Amino acid sequence: MKKYQVIGIGNAVVDVISQCDENFLDMMDIQKGVMQLIERERAELLYASMQRREQAAGGSVANTLAGLGNLGLRTAFIGRVHDDALGRFYAKAMEEDGTDFVNPPVAGEQLPTSRSMIFVSPDGERSMNTYLGISAELGLGDVDDAVLSDAELIFLEGYLFDKPGGKEAFIHSARTCRAAGGRAGISISDPFCVERHREDFLSLIENELDFVIGNEDEIKSLYQHSSLDEALPAVAAICDLVVCTRSGDGVSVISGGERTDVPVHKITPVDTTGAGDQFAAGFLYGLTTGRDIRTSTEMGCAAATEVIQHIGPRPKTALGVVFRRRGLID
C-alpha cells in the first residue's frame, strides 16, 4: 500500500472571501465570474476594499485535497509558500485538514505568499482576483521523486502552466508517478488558461496523463470547438478518461470510449467558490476507491452541491454524510 492515495500539485493561495453587489464589481473594474491575475499593488487595494472577510487556505487543487481529506483519504500537497504569516497559516491549515504539506515554508524569498481576493455577488458567482506571489515559482526543485512514487494518483492544477518551471514539474511528476504504477490527471482550471497554453495542454494530456477534468468552456477550448458534442470525443481520442462539468446541465464523461451523462439537482447557490474543486474531490474519491464512472460522477455532483450552499470553497458538512444521504455509500 502506498503512503498517499492522492497527491495534489498546485498553487498555494490564501483565499480571502467577501460578499459584494454588482455595482461594486463595476466600480472596481472586476470581471465577473472568472479568475484574473493581478499585481501586488492591486491586490493590496482590493484587500483594503473588502468587508467581513473570511480567510482560508485555498487554491484549486488544495481545495480538492481538503475534500478528499474530509472523506478520509491519505493525501499530500506540493506547493510553495513564503515563511511569512500567511504562509505559516496556510501550511498549518492544510495539516489541520488532514493533508500533509510536503514542502515547508520557504525563508529568505522576496515574493510573499500568494493570495486571492474573491468577491461573491448575490447570484453566488465568484470573481477571483489572484496575486500569485511565490506559488507561481514552483519548479522541479519542489517535487520529490520519493514522494511522487509513493502516490496512487497525482492531480495537477492547470494554472501552474503559466511559468516554465511549473510545466517541467508537471511533466516530471506525471512520469515519475506513472512509472511507479500510479495515475496522473489534471484540472484544466480556466478557459483563459487553455488559451495561453493550448499546445502544451494537449501534449501533456495525450502523452503524460490518464484523465482530464474541465468545465464545458475549458473542454471546448482545447480544440476550439463551439459544440461540446464535437469537443468531448476529440479530447477522448487522446485521453482515456475525460470529465466535463456543465453547471446546472450536469456532467458528461467519456471513459474508454463510452459516454455517461449524469444530471444534477438544481439549487440556487449561495457561493459557487470551490464547486469545481469539490466535484473533483468527490469524483476522485470514487475513482480511487474503485467505484464505477456513474457513481464517481454522482459523488462529485453531491460534493459540489454541498459546497455551493455556503460561503467558502471547502466542505462544512462531512462528505461521507452527504454521500450516505444520497445512497452512494453504506
Side-chain angles (χ1 to χ4, degrees):
M1 183 175 67
K2 296 201 173 188
K3 182 175 181 179
Y4 298 113
Q5 289 166 288
V6 181
I7 291 177
I9 306 177
N11 279 310
V13 182
V14 177
D15 285 338
V16 187
I17 305 169
S18 179
Q19 294 181 302
C20 72
D21 58 24
E22 304 281 348
N23 290 334
F24 177 86
L25 296 178
D26 290 340
M27 180 179 68
M28 300 301 292
D29 195 26
I30 295 171
Q31 188 173 353
K32 182 179 175 180
V34 301
M35 193 283 291
Q36 293 178 289
L37 296 177
I38 60 175
E39 298 299 326
R40 188 170 184 171
E41 183 178 349
R42 179 157 173 80
E44 292 171 351
L45 171 66
L46 292 179
Y47 182 85
S49 73
M50 303 178 91
Q51 298 182 5
R52 300 179 65 180
R53 309 179 189 99
E54 290 190 24
Q55 182 172 293
S60 177
V61 164
N63 290 336
T64 296
L65 290 175
L68 290 168
N70 183 283
L71 286 160
L73 295 196
R74 304 181 307 278
T75 59
F77 180 70
I78 296 173
R80 282 176 70 86
V81 297
H82 191 191
D83 189 15
D84 53 19
L86 282 180
R88 291 187 292 272
F89 161 81
Y90 191 98
K92 181 180 178 182
M94 291 296 292
E95 295 282 352
E96 288 176 346
D97 280 343
T99 294
D100 286 354
F101 192 78
V102 175
N103 299 335
V106 181
E109 289 280 345
Q110 290 187 343
L111 293 173
T113 295
S114 308
R115 71 286 313 267
S116 181
M117 275 59 66
I118 302 174
F119 296 92
V120 183
S121 45
D123 59 0
E125 280 291 333
R126 82 281 189 267
S127 306
M128 304 171 65
N129 301 264
T130 303
Y131 170 61
L132 289 177
I134 195 174
S135 71
E137 301 303 313
L138 184 139
L140 281 175
D142 297 299
V143 294
D144 186 325
D145 286 4
V147 173
L148 296 167
S149 298
D150 215 3
E152 295 178 18
L153 182 150
I154 62 167
F155 190 45
L156 311 174
E157 180 180 323
Y159 285 133
L160 277 177
F161 260 56
D162 278 315
K163 295 254 179 121
K167 296 178 186 180
E168 293 175 353
F170 275 11
I171 293 169
H172 179 81
S173 298
R175 289 177 179 173
T176 303
C177 179
R178 296 175 86 197
R183 291 178 287 182
I186 194 168
S187 167
I188 298 177
S189 296
D190 188 279
F192 297 111
C193 197
V194 174
E195 291 293 333
R196 293 192 294 269
H197 307 291
R198 182 173 289 108
E199 290 186 7
D200 286 335
F201 264 122
L202 290 173
S203 176
L204 184 77
I205 291 167
E206 181 173 10
N207 299 307
E208 313 292 351
L209 301 182
D210 300 290
F211 66 92
V212 57
I213 299 176
N215 65 29
E216 185 170 359
D217 289 338
E218 293 158 2
I219 295 296
K220 289 193 295 187
S221 182
L222 281 169
Y223 280 105
Q224 297 177 284
H225 285 303
S226 59
S227 166
L228 183 63
D229 288 334
E230 294 178 347
L232 263 178
V235 182
I238 64 168
C239 187
D240 188 61
L241 176 56
V242 182
V243 184
C244 179
T245 59
R246 297 183 291 124
S247 189
D249 292 326
V251 181
S252 297
V253 182
I254 295 183
S255 175
E258 181 177 344
R259 178 164 172 167
T260 301
D261 294 295
V262 177
V264 296
H265 302 282
K266 292 186 179 181
I267 63 171
T268 301
V270 174
D271 173 18
T272 58
T273 308
D277 305 336
Q278 295 313 316
F279 170 84
F283 184 85
L284 294 181
Y285 175 81
L287 193 66
T288 303
T289 56
R291 268 69 175 191
D292 59 42
I293 290 298
R294 180 170 292 277
T295 302
S296 298
T297 304
E298 290 175 348
M299 287 176 164
C301 293
T305 298
E306 190 284 334
V307 81
I308 66 174
Q309 295 182 74
H310 57 75
I311 296 291
R314 299 187 175 189
K316 292 189 176 179
T317 300
L319 292 181
V321 172
V322 174
F323 291 173
R324 286 188 187 93
R325 289 173 181 167
R326 295 202 179 190
L328 297 171
I329 59 175
D330 297 328

